[in-house]
Amino acid sequence: MKLIAPAKINLYLEIIGNRPDGYHELVMILQSIDLADEIELHSISDETIRVHCSHPQVPTDKSNLIYRAAELMATKFPQALAKHGGVEITLNKHIPVAAGLAGGSTNAAAVLVGIDLLWNLGLTQTELEDLGAILGSDVPFCVAGGTVIATGRGEQLSPLPSLDHIYIVLGKYRSLEVSTAWAYTTYRQEFGSTYLQDTNDLAARAAAVHSGPIVKAILEKDAVAIAQKLHNDLEKVVLPSYPQVLQLRELFASQPGVIGTMMSGSGPSVFALCETQQQAEQIQQQVRQIIPDEDLELFVTRTIAHGVKVDS
Ligand SMILES: C[C@](O)(CO)[C@H](O)COP(=O)(O)OP(=O)(O)OC[C@H]1O[C@@H](n2ccc(N)nc2=O)[C@H](O)[C@@H]1O
Ligand SMILES: Nc1ncnc2c1ncn2[C@@H]1O[C@H](COP(=O)(O)OP(=O)(O)OP(=O)(O)O)[C@@H](O)[C@H]1O
């Protein structure tokens, strides 16, 4: 079985409070993009989990989110494991690693969906999302995909009408990795005093985003209005610490045809929104001429309406 595991960008990321579990209360708008990994998955006779990936930055031991997703399914469904045997999983990596694009999260989501099908478990999407939440805050979204408002620590999903064919130029320096935990911890240290405390205030803030300008623009499929309302609180701590990311963001913003630009998630990926594929390709070429450094990976991709799916 072969599955497609799309990456994501954050069109909106607001940190609104602390949680008792040490995570942050968020209001986000997550968007699936065409840049994706491929996951091949098949049953093997013994009850083991084998992970293969040739990417130098991706571990193939038990720390890999692919392994952890398969292990979770084996733990939750021991009878199915005994009946069908273990799984051998091969990851063909295209999504930059530790980039703010949910690379590991979407791989985990693909394994949950794939094993559900392989073992004929018949799990609902909500059940798969709930299993995903055990593995990481972005995994439930990666199961669902499309255009979604996410609250809580990112696992409470409220789907929006999907955006597709908004074109994107995405840039990530191979040598840069940003720890998501570092970004949130640093944000808390610097801005934690602004956090909302009361549950009702948190709910009111989430509702305000739901009825606010960027969701209105999404409902109207107004790409220019969406691009003007992009937001990411984590830029406040990542950009000052990573000047190359700030430089790339400013370079994107200066290119004709770019309607908006933002860092994705905890970075260091930066994306620029464009209205046509031709504009995106021209911007990619222009940026490559300005920054010939091969350390900078540049992609042209687009918004899509789905998350993890079986490759037809
Ligand atoms: C930055 C984003 O990618 C935006 O979509 C997500 O918020 C992070 O999603 P993720 O990488 O799946 O996050 P997890 O693997 O669950 O958590 C990684 C670390 O990020 C921090 N974290 C994550 C989510 C959240 N709501 N609050 C947090 O403080 C925690 O320190 C946690 O230990
Ligand atoms: N399947 C996987 N693919 C990529 N990285 C993985 C995987 N499994 C574990 N990792 C580890 O997870 C770390 C974070 O990688 P990942 O690509 O998921 O970050 P990310 O895209 O920033 O995630 P998010 O946007 O959810 O914060 C990497 O440093 C890598 O060592």
Side-chain angles (χ1 to χ4, degrees):
M1 180 188 299
K2 187 173 181 182
L3 298 109
I4 302 296
K8 61 86 179 160
I9 56 173
N10 298 73
L11 297 176
Y12 191 89
L13 191 162
E14 185 179 350
I15 304 169
I16 60 175
N18 268 320
R19 292 165 54 95
D21 61 7
Y23 283 67
H24 284 82
E25 289 287 350
L26 305 176
V27 186
M28 302 193 289
I29 298 173
L30 294 158
Q31 173 62 56
S32 296
I33 61 175
D34 199 33
L35 174 62
D37 290 338
E38 290 122 25
I39 303 260
E40 294 192 48
L41 194 145
H42 62 268
S43 294
I44 47 180
S45 53
D46 59 15
E47 293 184 9
T48 60
I49 299 166
R50 298 180 201 153
V51 175
H52 307 290
C53 179
S54 58
H55 193 291
Q57 291 172 285
V58 177
T60 51
D61 62 9
K62 294 189 173 184
S63 71
N64 191 308
L65 271 160
I66 284 178
Y67 186 95
R68 288 174 48 206
E71 190 176 47
L72 177 63
M73 294 295 268
T75 304
K76 293 283 187 185
F77 305 102
Q79 306 92 329
L81 174 68
K83 178 180 176 185
H84 297 275
V87 286
E88 184 158 35
I89 307 167
T90 302
L91 166 61
N92 190 0
K93 198 76 188 174
H94 302 292
I95 301 169
V97 174
L101 301 172
S105 302
T106 195
N107 293 171
V111 170
L112 296 177
V113 170
I115 290 180
D116 171 54
L117 294 170
L118 207 57
W119 291 356
N120 303 313
L121 297 171
L123 298 175
T124 65
Q125 180 173 307
T126 301
E127 287 168 326
L128 288 165
E129 289 168 5
D130 292 345
L131 286 166
I134 298 168
L135 296 165
S137 306
D138 274 349
V139 181
F141 166 74
C142 293
V143 169
T147 310
V148 176
I149 294 182
T151 53
R153 64 184 167 93
E155 86 289 1
Q156 303 294 327
L157 306 182
S158 177
L160 292 171
S162 288
L163 295 169
D164 59 9
H165 289 87
I166 295 180
Y167 284 90
I168 296 164
V169 184
L170 193 66
K172 195 265 181 184
Y173 282 97
R174 286 185 177 84
S175 58
L176 287 189
E177 288 192 6
V178 177
S179 152
T180 303
W182 169 85
Y184 276 111
T185 303
T186 307
Y187 188 88
R188 179 193 280 122
Q189 288 163 353
E190 294 186 22
F191 304 98
S193 61
T194 66
Y195 289 171
L196 300 174
Q197 306 299 331
D198 182 90
T199 307
N200 294 329
D201 294 341
L202 292 165
R205 186 66 206 127
V209 174
H210 239 282
S211 59
I214 189 165
V215 171
K216 179 175 180 293
I218 290 169
L219 296 176
E220 292 167 354
K221 296 195 184 296
D222 182 341
V224 173
I226 293 167
Q228 289 167 343
K229 302 285 185 249
L230 299 172
H231 176 83
N232 184 345
D233 277 342
L234 289 174
E235 283 200 333
K236 293 174 190 152
V237 295
V238 175
L239 296 188
S241 301
Y242 293 84
Q244 282 179 292
V245 181
L246 175 59
Q247 176 207 46
L248 181 60
R249 188 184 185 302
E250 290 172 342
L251 178 58
F252 275 166
S254 71
Q255 296 303 306
V258 170
I259 53 178
T261 182
M262 187 57 61
M263 182 179 81
S264 180
S266 50
S269 289
V270 176
F271 66 88
L273 301 185
C274 315
E275 290 188 278
T276 69
Q277 182 172 351
Q278 186 185 12
Q279 282 175 325
E281 288 167 351
Q282 285 168 351
I283 289 158
Q284 180 191 34
Q285 288 165 10
Q286 182 63 17
V287 171
R288 174 54 71 209
Q289 284 175 5
I290 297 166
I291 306 180
D293 181 352
E294 278 308 311
D295 188 41
L296 176 61
E297 276 186 295
L298 286 169
F299 303 87
V300 170
T301 183
R302 64 178 174 83
T303 58
I304 57 174
H306 64 81
V308 165
K309 66 174 188 172
V310 176
D311 191 6
S312 47

